[in-house]
Amino acid sequence: MPNRGVLQAGEKVQFTDRKGKRITDQLTVGGTTQTEHGLIMHDQIIGQTEGIVVTTVRAKREAQINQQHPERDEGKPWKSARAIGGWEYAVMRPRLADYVLSMPRGAQIMYPKDIAQVIQLGDIRRGMRVLESGAGSGAMSLNLLDAVGCEGSLTTIEMRPEFAKVALGNATVYFGERPGWWNLRIGDFDSVARELPEHAFDRIVLDMLDPWNRLEQAYRVIAPGGVLVAYVTTTTQLSRMAESLRQTGVWTEPDIQETLERSWKAQGLAVRPDHQMIGHTGFLVVTRAMAEGCHALHKRDRATKDTTTDVDELSVQQRAAQLEDLELRDISDRKLRKVLRDLDAQVANISSAQSGQQSGAGTSADDASSELE
């Protein structure tokens, strides 16, 4: 678990300056962190507590030239023109969200806003047994490991060994050791899931391209009443997943949502949202497993309502009937007559106002002519 007390070598720390710029780095004995304002010496931090302020070492800007690829800084004489340093940074241990965004990654990670929703909507708590598909770079895995704790267990199925290695490395650095309650398996979901015991998991998290193809094995290994959360990014995936859940008859009506994130600035009376926000990243599809032999209860559509036939494939007569069946013009005759009366009155008011303006203009012109005479 994350360390407490004084900062030690091997730990990740986060440096934040007065402008809010953050740098995350691992402390090493004799090590340094290069910033645009000079070097931070790790030996000044090791053995100290969180919340201290460190100042970058004053040095010639030559020290900031890329040592491995100096050719990249050719034509940038300002890099060695003046001394740098004396810039202050606050030192803290990174939050899990900060760690996830800064850690080395190969595959695209799930954003913290979506991860938080998975934990909350999936009701993933300490001591639970969770099955996850797709480790990626370990962003979701780290949060699941933290949520269930060492009293619970996480089984992750990752198809690509190199991704599993990245995820395991990130987890080891974060926890300070390999989490003993994490069973990381290599292979495709169906093959590995067949080897798992029935009803062995309380929760399942699917972050993959085709989660609808994994529902059979997912239902076999999840306990009755268990929660399944699927993360998909496109509307076509969303539709396919939702319809597949309904067709199986063993999953409750899916709850579908997405989360948008926008930060604000508050400085005195200048309180406003940031110009940029994190918009759509993915959809969360949440459902629960029914007991064996019990069919899920779903909302019934009206018999006249066809939501699947493409209207372009119908004849003119069929299309007219379809539009009426879909109730796209759902308005009673009484309400329609009232709407028409209101509109007639408003149009009449406009005509009356225009006539008054024209007559008034004519009267004014006649009065002016009389005065001239």
Side-chain angles (χ1 to χ4, degrees), residues 19-236:
K19 295 183 179 180
K21 292 184 178 180
R22 297 183 176 92
I23 301 173
T24 302
D25 201 2
Q26 185 178 32
L27 295 177
T28 58
V29 176
T32 61
T33 296
Q34 179 174 310
T35 75
E36 56 184 301
H37 299 287
L39 298 175
I40 299 175
M41 311 302 292
H42 292 183
D43 288 345
Q44 296 178 0
I45 302 170
I46 297 174
Q48 301 292 326
T49 62
E50 295 182 71
I52 64 171
V53 175
V54 295
T55 304
T56 56
V57 176
R58 297 184 180 276
K60 286 291 185 181
R61 194 169 286 269
E62 294 173 351
Q64 300 301 300
I65 294 179
N66 193 317
Q67 301 298 321
Q68 296 181 347
H69 301 281
E71 68 279 0
R72 295 179 182 176
D73 291 330
E74 292 180 1
K76 300 178 182 178
W78 60 86
K79 284 211 166 188
S80 58
R82 65 178 186 270
I84 58 173
W87 195 257
E88 294 181 329
Y89 287 87
V91 183
M92 302 283 182
R93 287 187 176 95
R95 301 170 300 169
L96 180 53
D98 298 322
Y99 181 85
V100 163
L101 291 176
S102 66
M103 68 187 187
R105 57 180 184 255
Q108 178 65 36
I109 64 169
M110 192 185 297
Y111 272 85
K113 69 182 182 71
D114 297 317
I115 293 175
Q117 288 290 82
V118 170
I119 300 295
Q120 179 67 31
L121 298 178
D123 191 37
I124 299 171
R125 293 174 279 117
R126 189 162 297 274
M128 284 189 165
R129 302 161 299 173
V130 179
L131 174 64
E132 176 195 22
S133 75
S137 298
M140 188 72 246
S141 302
L142 283 176
N143 283 268
L144 293 174
L145 288 166
D146 189 65
V148 301
C150 55
E151 301 94 335
S153 65
L154 173 65
T155 299
T156 301
I157 302 174
E158 172 57 54
M159 182 177 295
R160 300 181 61 174
E162 60 273 23
F163 284 177
K165 187 175 182 180
V166 171
L168 181 59
N170 282 323
T172 301
V173 172
Y174 178 76
F175 289 104
E177 59 183 2
R178 176 170 179 163
W181 61 101
W182 191 16
N183 180 20
L184 182 55
R185 306 282 296 273
I186 307 298
D188 67 274
F189 183 83
D190 285 345
S191 298
V192 176
R194 288 192 190 97
E195 303 172 0
L196 301 175
E198 293 185 5
H199 310 313
F201 297 94
D202 306 303
R203 305 290 186 260
I204 295 180
V205 178
L206 301 179
D207 179 9
M208 58 201 319
L209 185 64
D210 57 341
W212 53 88
N213 288 328
R214 312 296 165 228
L215 293 179
E216 180 180 355
Q217 288 300 322
Y219 181 73
R220 190 186 70 82
V221 299
I222 197 170
V227 181
L228 179 144
V229 182
Y231 177 79
V232 294
T233 58
T234 68
T235 53
T236 51

Side-chain angles (χ1 to χ4, degrees), residues 304 314-327:
T304 59
L314 304 177
S315 65
V316 176
Q317 294 79 8
Q318 290 174 327
R319 188 177 306 171
Q322 180 80 326
L323 291 175
E324 184 177 353
D325 290 342
L326 288 173
E327 298 178 344

